[in-house]
Amino acid sequence: MRLVIARCSVDYAGRLTAHLPSAPRLILIKADGSVSIHADDRAYKPLNWMSPPCTLKEGADGEAGIWTVINKAGEKLIITMEEILHDSSHELGVDPGLIKDGVEAHLQELLADRIETLGEGWTLVRREYPTAIGPVDILCRDADGATVAIEIKRRGEIDGVEQLTRYLELLNRDPHLAPVKGVFAAQEIKPQARVLATDRGIDCVVLDYNALRGIEDDKLRLF
């Protein structure tokens, strides 16, 4: 991972346009090729970013102070550097992945064992389906044979939707799986997460832990 702290302005040109005026910002360039621009707030969420696959060119048209990031669709993230305050690279190695808590892991196990609760004719492909950016909790097929990726959380928040979005972007590049739909499943789903999921075409499922364990059977709802 490369960390660059710089005073810069940022312009995005693609399906829409956006401009970030000059200010000190953190630029993250990850090993997967992604580039994201961060301020000293907003927690984990970047101000702007370009997802892989994309290429970074430091200097465009002979101007060393301009960085251009281009994705396969031709969209551009143009970073105009005014002053670089810090520039370092660090080898992080392969991440061992998120270790889920007992309830979350058990939810995954229970839902995989009872995948038909999501719909008649649904079948399990695999739990912890491996991808280059981490395992998908559950990969399955619906009654029509379409591939479905399921991300499971105890509490469903925006970061979980973002995580599933990244998985879907990657899985949909595989012609043997595409098109891949998404299901965001949790015991509780925050309103903001539900809005974001709906906007991205991802279904939300509220899971009842006791129902999946066979204690109750009337609180699993698909929206």
Side-chain angles (χ1 to χ4, degrees):
M1 179 182 292
R2 184 178 175 189
L3 309 175
V4 178
I5 299 174
R7 178 172 290 278
C8 62
S9 59
V10 183
D11 292 278
Y12 177 86
R15 288 168 292 181
L16 51 81
T17 59
H19 174 72
L20 293 171
S22 176
R25 296 192 176 94
L26 169 65
I27 304 167
L28 294 183
I29 303 110
K30 294 187 178 180
D32 64 2
S34 64
V35 178
S36 55
I37 316 295
H38 298 260
D40 200 11
D41 60 7
R42 297 167 59 93
Y44 61 89
K45 190 172 182 179
L47 297 166
N48 214 324
W49 67 93
M50 191 70 80
S51 299
C54 57
T55 57
L56 167 62
K57 182 178 180 182
E58 297 183 33
D61 300 324
E63 297 183 62
I66 298 178
W67 291 13
T68 306
V69 188
I70 307 175
N71 67 12
K72 62 179 182 180
E75 297 169 315
K76 295 182 180 180
L77 193 65
I78 302 167
I79 308 168
T80 302
M81 297 290 192
E82 298 171 17
E83 181 183 9
I84 294 179
L85 306 172
H86 174 86
D87 189 346
S88 64
S89 297
H90 308 270
E91 181 60 52
L92 301 185
V94 178
D95 190 88
L98 180 67
I99 300 175
K100 301 178 185 294
D101 65 38
V103 173
E104 195 170 296
H106 199 206
L107 278 170
Q108 182 194 120
E109 180 183 350
L110 289 169
L111 186 59
D113 190 50
R114 297 162 176 78
I115 199 68
E116 69 280 355
T117 58
L118 296 179
E120 185 177 352
W122 285 49
T123 57
L124 177 69
V125 175
R126 179 172 172 174
R127 288 176 55 197
E128 299 288 337
Y129 185 86
T131 76
I133 57 174
V136 177
D137 286 339
I138 293 176
L139 195 73
C140 60
R141 295 191 185 276
D142 65 15
D144 298 322
T147 309
V148 183
I150 303 174
E151 179 65 25
I152 298 173
K153 300 293 184 185
R154 184 170 60 178
R155 176 179 295 176
E157 301 190 52
I158 284 177
D159 58 345
V161 178
E162 295 283 7
Q163 183 179 359
L164 178 55
T165 299
R166 292 192 293 271
Y167 288 143
L168 291 172
E169 288 178 353
L170 191 63
L171 292 170
N172 272 301
R173 297 177 201 162
D174 187 338
H176 299 293
L177 298 176
V180 184
K181 300 185 294 184
V183 170
F184 187 52
Q187 289 180 284
E188 173 192 1
I189 299 178
K190 296 293 185 180
Q192 299 93 333
R194 187 183 296 279
V195 170
L196 181 61
T198 300
D199 182 66
R200 295 183 177 180
I202 295 171
D203 289 330
C204 291
V205 172
V206 176
L207 299 174
D208 186 286
Y209 186 60
N210 288 333
L212 285 173
R213 294 174 63 199
I215 296 174
E216 299 176 8
D217 61 4
D218 62 350
K219 292 185 180 178
L220 184 65
R221 304 188 298 276
L222 176 62
F223 296 91

